[in-house]
Structure formats: structure tokens, C-alpha cells
Amino acid sequence: MNTSHYPSAYIHQAPETHTLSVIVDNEPGVLARVVGLFSGRGYNIESLTVSETEHEAHVSRITIVTTGTPMVIEQIKNQLARLVPVHRVVDLTVSAKVLARELALIKVKGKGEARVEALRLADAFRARVVDANTESFVFELTGKGDKIDEFVALMRPLGLVEYSRTGVAAIARGPDAM
């Protein structure tokens, strides 16, 4: 990083992708406030996953994948931490080794050799057939985003109809809680 004592000097920082875990109260409007923070400041959300994680305490975990310069990522974390229903903000990308996975459902239509090839590739990717009929399959695939991207790309010429992805679920490795 180049630094300068002159405020007008251009400092170039490359964008980075970060996975943020945000622990919030599970109450109406919280997700809208978090998303509003991003949209109001022009930050992009690449993936968003939300689920209640502590039912008795009414606490939810929001996992956000976003991209920005290190300065922008720091701003996002600080602004999220200032929202009232937010308990904690952890940048899993820098705080620990992170395990991140997605789930995808992929529908492929095909007959004959294309159908056989789709099944062969699904087996190689460890995708599970969750629905099948004489004209199509629905595969379930769990893994890193690039694995899902690759599988979808291979299914396109074989008759990909549509697919749906859950978004990233992430957790830090090791015995400690975030």
C-alpha cells in the first residue's frame, strides 16, 4: 500500500472479498436495516444468508459476502457494529481459517447420451439426485462456490434448465466460538 502525506494523493488498494458474520437480535426490521446500510452506501452484497441460531435467545446469524478495498471493508464492519440490534461483527476472512459452503439445486433436462453424461458428472462432483423423471433430474450439490460454478458450467451444454443457490454459510475452524 502506498501512503502519502498529501490528502489529494491517489492511494490504490485492490478490492478483496470478505465473509462477515453478524450476530443480531431476531426481530422484525433487522435484516432491512443491515441491507439498507449496504444499499445506502453503495456497497454490494455478493451472498446473504440468514437464520435464527439461538431460538431461546431470539438471536440470528447473518453471513454476508462482500467485496471492497480494505478501507471499505473496515467501514462496513464499523457501521454494522453501530447498528442497535447487532451484538457482534466478525470478519471470518481475517480472524480465522474459515469453512464456507453453499448448497445448490440444479435442474437438468436431457435424454440419451446427454442424460448419461449428466449423471456421470454428477457422480464425479458428488452431487445427489433429489428428483428424477424420464425427462429431467434435479441435483443437490454442496461445496465451495467455485465447485458449484464449475458444475453449472458443465451442465449448460447437457441441458441445464435452472438452478438455485442458498448463499454462503460460514464458520471459523477450531474449538472456539466467534
Side-chain angles (χ1 to χ4, degrees):
M1 176 173 105
N2 296 333
T3 59
S4 173
H5 295 288
Y6 301 101
S8 62
Y10 176 72
I11 299 171
H12 176 72
Q13 294 181 315
E16 303 172 348
T17 300
H18 284 249
T19 302
L20 307 177
S21 189
V22 185
I23 305 300
V24 298
D25 288 335
N26 184 12
E27 57 187 41
V30 173
L31 181 59
R33 291 174 71 188
V34 169
V35 171
L37 183 147
F38 278 78
S39 65
R41 289 164 178 81
Y43 304 145
N44 188 40
I45 296 174
E46 294 180 15
S47 174
L48 176 69
T49 308
V50 184
S51 182
E52 188 173 60
T53 55
E54 298 175 38
H55 299 294
E56 296 79 25
H58 301 289
V59 173
S60 290
R61 182 179 187 134
I62 302 174
T63 304
I64 303 168
V65 178
T66 189
T67 301
T69 64
M71 187 174 79
V72 167
I73 298 295
E74 235 6 83
Q75 286 176 341
I76 291 171
K77 292 188 300 190
N78 291 334
Q79 290 166 355
L80 281 170
R82 283 197 294 268
L83 290 177
V84 172
V86 172
H87 295 275
R88 277 189 314 282
V89 178
V90 176
D91 187 345
L92 294 172
T93 307
V94 298
S95 67
K97 299 242 181 212
V98 64
L99 286 173
R101 297 291 185 266
E102 266 188 88
L103 169 75
L105 296 173
I106 301 109
K107 186 185 295 184
V108 179
K109 180 180 176 181
K111 293 185 179 188
E113 189 58 37
R115 186 174 175 87
V116 172
E117 182 64 8
L119 282 170
R120 189 188 66 74
L121 287 169
D123 186 51
F125 276 78
R126 295 190 178 121
R128 200 165 64 99
V129 176
V130 292
D131 184 58
N133 60 43
T134 58
E135 295 180 13
S136 68
F137 291 108
V138 175
F139 298 108
E140 175 185 82
L141 180 60
T142 304
K144 293 182 179 180
D146 56 351
K147 175 184 177 181
I148 292 171
D149 292 340
E150 188 177 343
F151 185 73
V152 166
L154 290 169
M155 290 297 128
R156 282 190 198 286
L158 298 176
L160 177 73
V161 175
E162 65 179 326
Y163 63 99
S164 177
R165 295 170 81 149
T166 60
V168 174
I171 197 164
R173 292 179 185 265
D176 298 326
M178 58 174 251

